Amino acid sequence: MSLTEARFHDLVDATQQAVEDIFDDSDLDLDLENSAGVLTVRFENGTQLIFSRQEPLRQLWLAARSGGFHFDYDQASERWICDSSDEQLGEMLARITLEQSGADLEFEEL
């Protein structure tokens, strides 16, 4: 069963809020901007993460220094899963945040 539009938006909104909360609770010097469904995280060193929703595909996209990644929501595990690597969003975010900022943050709830 595919996600309804409303459910998709609720899931992306909740995910972006959780990401914001994790970064807000960290000691990192960064800027967060959430505008028109796009969440941008700018690290002190100038690198950034950009989360955007791709409504027609029902995907969450992540742009990082290491590339662009597309995530489908897996209803069984209730997790966003990368469509090319099968990596969970939380695992990838932990790895990418460490690579880009040097900070070891936990994104287990994602």
Side-chain angles (χ1 to χ4, degrees), residues 1-107:
M1 180 174 76
S2 64
L3 294 173
T4 65
E5 182 178 339
R7 175 81 172 130
F8 169 74
H9 285 292
D10 288 346
L11 288 166
V12 172
D13 290 344
T15 300
Q16 288 183 339
Q17 186 61 56
V19 169
E20 281 189 70
D21 291 346
I22 291 167
F23 281 117
D24 277 340
D25 292 342
S26 76
D27 291 331
L28 290 175
D29 184 11
L30 51 77
D31 292 317
L32 295 169
E33 179 183 340
N34 198 336
S35 178
V38 177
L39 173 63
T40 304
V41 180
R42 288 184 188 85
F43 297 107
E44 184 178 23
N45 63 11
T47 65
Q48 57 187 8
L49 302 175
I50 301 170
F51 298 86
S52 61
R53 64 188 76 212
Q54 298 301 316
E55 187 176 322
L57 301 173
R58 300 291 197 265
Q59 289 185 324
L60 175 62
W61 286 10
L62 169 62
R65 185 171 61 191
S66 58
F69 306 95
H70 304 163
F71 294 84
D72 294 306
Y73 189 75
D74 179 63
Q75 296 187 66
S77 67
E78 298 184 340
R79 297 277 190 246
W80 291 98
I81 307 294
C82 182
D83 69 357
S84 61
S85 69
D86 289 331
E87 191 173 8
Q88 291 183 6
L89 176 62
E91 295 169 349
M92 185 178 287
L93 265 180
R95 180 175 48 78
I96 289 174
T97 299
L98 183 61
E99 289 171 1
Q100 288 192 210
S101 73
D104 190 10
L105 299 180
E106 292 293 328
F107 296 89

